[in-house]
């Protein structure tokens, strides 16, 4: 079974540009979450999507947005990039049970974004 | 409230040594998760703990959920080079099925051969 895939793996942008990152979850998983990892702030939750709806959101500015498609693939977008947006962006997928309970999140390898 | 304090931040050990790291929180919660992140990869779940006092092993790894439900530790016995990486504790928050992980700052493990 293929794992979580993220594209691209590396990306270099300049300040003010926008960027779109893609995540394909494990087959059958319906929930996709995004995390930002930086040396200073560590791993921080951005948002979670389930059945094309944002179900949970972290404390990030509105420049960070996402969406999920009917095949559960997800994209996140960062507009008006700032130097501080340089980070490893990770996505994770789960079954996303609706009835509560917890299930394991499986992470992709991440996209390394560098903003110059 | 949700912050997890993980220590130590880094460890430099000799191959074959045992390793111990821990995580504390000011609040009580129902799960402790331990992840490992290899260079250039995403975190991988090592051990999940769901019950106060629970002691769980995964090969050379052992983790325990503190009785107070505010702490957890992870031990690695007889370390080997492939144990190098960053270890994170985490709690998983779920509200009506929504999932969110809150991570500690991580413990970076370096092994001298």
């Amino acid at each position: 079974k293929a794992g979580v895939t993220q594209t691209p793996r590396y990306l270099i942008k300049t300040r003010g540009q926008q960027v779109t990152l893609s995540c394909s979850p494990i087959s059958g998983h319906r929930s996709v979450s995004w995390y930002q990892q930086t040396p200073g702030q560590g791993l921080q939750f951005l948002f979670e999507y389930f059945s094309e709806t944002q179900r949970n959101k972290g404390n990030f500015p509105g420049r960070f947005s996402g969406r999920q498609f009917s095949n559960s693939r997800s994209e996140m977008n960062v507009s008006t990039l700032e130097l501080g947006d340089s980070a490893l962006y990770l996505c994770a997928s789960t079954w996303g049970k609706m009835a509560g309970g917890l299930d394991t999140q499986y992470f992709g390898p991440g996209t390394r974004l560098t903003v110059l | 409230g949700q912050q997890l304090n993980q220590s130590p931040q880094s460890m430099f050990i000799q191959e074959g040594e045992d390793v111990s790291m821990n995580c504390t929180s000011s609040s009580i919660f129902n799960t402790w998760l331990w992840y490992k992140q290899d260079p250039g990869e995403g975190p991988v779940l090592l051990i999940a703990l769901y019950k106060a006092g629970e002691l769980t092993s995964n090969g050379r790894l052992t983790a325990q959920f503190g009785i107070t439900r505010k702490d957890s530790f992870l031990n690695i016995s007889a370390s080997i080079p492939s144990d190098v990486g960053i270890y994170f504790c985490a709690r998983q928050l779920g509200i009506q099925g929504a999932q969110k992980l809150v991570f500690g700052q991580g413990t970076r493990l370096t092994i001298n051969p």
Side-chain angles (χ1 to χ4, degrees), chain B:
Chain B
Q2 295 180 0
Q3 188 172 354
L4 301 180
N5 299 308
Q6 190 172 347
S7 65
Q9 288 189 1
S10 60
M11 302 183 74
F12 298 85
I13 63 168
Q14 298 292 325
E15 183 177 349
E17 288 185 18
D18 296 343
V19 171
S20 184
M21 59 192 79
N22 69 80
C23 209
T24 61
S25 171
S26 58
S27 57
I28 293 172
F29 43 89
N30 297 323
T31 62
W32 275 109
L33 306 173
W34 285 94
Y35 281 83
K36 182 194 176 197
Q37 185 175 26
D38 290 328
E41 301 294 332
V44 173
L45 182 65
L46 297 173
I47 292 178
L49 302 162
Y50 296 104
K51 189 175 167 184
E54 180 181 355
L55 183 70
T56 297
S57 294
N58 179 4
R60 293 177 296 105
L61 279 60
T62 302
Q64 183 159 27
F65 194 148
I67 290 290
T68 64
R69 293 166 62 194
K70 292 183 178 182
D71 62 345
S72 176
F73 71 75
L74 175 70
N75 287 343
I76 305 173
S77 63
S79 59
I80 59 177
S82 62
D83 291 333
V84 166
I86 306 176
Y87 292 80
F88 294 96
C89 61
R91 57 179 297 196
Q92 190 163 354
L93 305 178
I95 301 173
Q96 293 182 345
Q99 309 291 333
K100 168 183 174 180
L101 289 175
V102 175
F103 287 89
Q105 305 95 316
T107 295
R108 183 181 295 273
L109 179 63
T110 303
I111 298 177
N112 300 316

Side-chain angles (χ1 to χ4, degrees), chain A residues 9 33 35 37 43 45 48 55-56 88 90 94 97-98 100-105 107-109, chain B residues 31 35 37 40-45 50 86 88 92-94 96-101 103-104:
Chain A
R9 291 293 307 273
S33 299
Y35 294 82
Q37 185 175 23
L43 275 156
F45 173 79
E48 184 221 3
R55 203 164 56 165
N56 209 349
L88 181 67
L90 294 157
T94 73
K97 293 179 287 189
M98 284 297 290
L102 304 171
D103 56 341
T104 302
Q105 295 201 17
F107 283 84
Chain B
T31 62
Y35 281 83
Q37 185 175 26
E41 301 294 332
V44 173
L45 182 65
Y50 296 104
I86 306 176
F88 294 96
Q92 190 163 354
L93 305 178
Q96 293 182 345
Q99 309 291 333
K100 168 183 174 180
L101 289 175
F103 287 89

Side-chain angles (χ1 to χ4, degrees), chain A residues 14-36:
Chain A
T14 56
R15 277 181 298 175
Q17 287 187 308
Q18 74 165 12
V19 67
T20 299
L21 312 181
S22 179
C23 173
S24 292
I26 291 173
S27 178
H29 284 189
R30 296 168 64 193
S31 166
V32 174
S33 299
W34 288 89
Y35 294 82
Q36 181 196 63

Side-chain angles (χ1 to χ4, degrees), chain A residues 15-110:
Chain A
R15 277 181 298 175
Q17 287 187 308
Q18 74 165 12
V19 67
T20 299
L21 312 181
S22 179
C23 173
S24 292
I26 291 173
S27 178
H29 284 189
R30 296 168 64 193
S31 166
V32 174
S33 299
W34 288 89
Y35 294 82
Q36 181 196 63
Q37 185 175 23
T38 60
Q41 300 299 317
L43 275 156
Q44 293 188 292
F45 173 79
L46 280 156
F47 29 65
E48 184 221 3
Y49 286 86
F50 177 83
S51 290
E52 303 177 63
T53 301
Q54 188 181 88
R55 203 164 56 165
N56 209 349
K57 189 176 187 305
N59 296 323
F60 278 82
R63 299 185 297 107
F64 292 81
S65 63
R67 61 178 175 167
Q68 187 180 34
F69 302 94
S70 58
N71 62 357
S72 294
R73 189 178 70 86
S74 177
E75 290 181 346
M76 68 163 282
N77 183 276
V78 187
S79 62
T80 319
L81 284 166
E82 301 177 358
L83 295 179
D85 296 333
S86 294
L88 181 67
Y89 289 89
L90 294 157
C91 83
S93 76
T94 73
W95 294 105
K97 293 179 287 189
M98 284 297 290
L102 304 171
D103 56 341
T104 302
Q105 295 201 17
Y106 295 87
F107 283 84

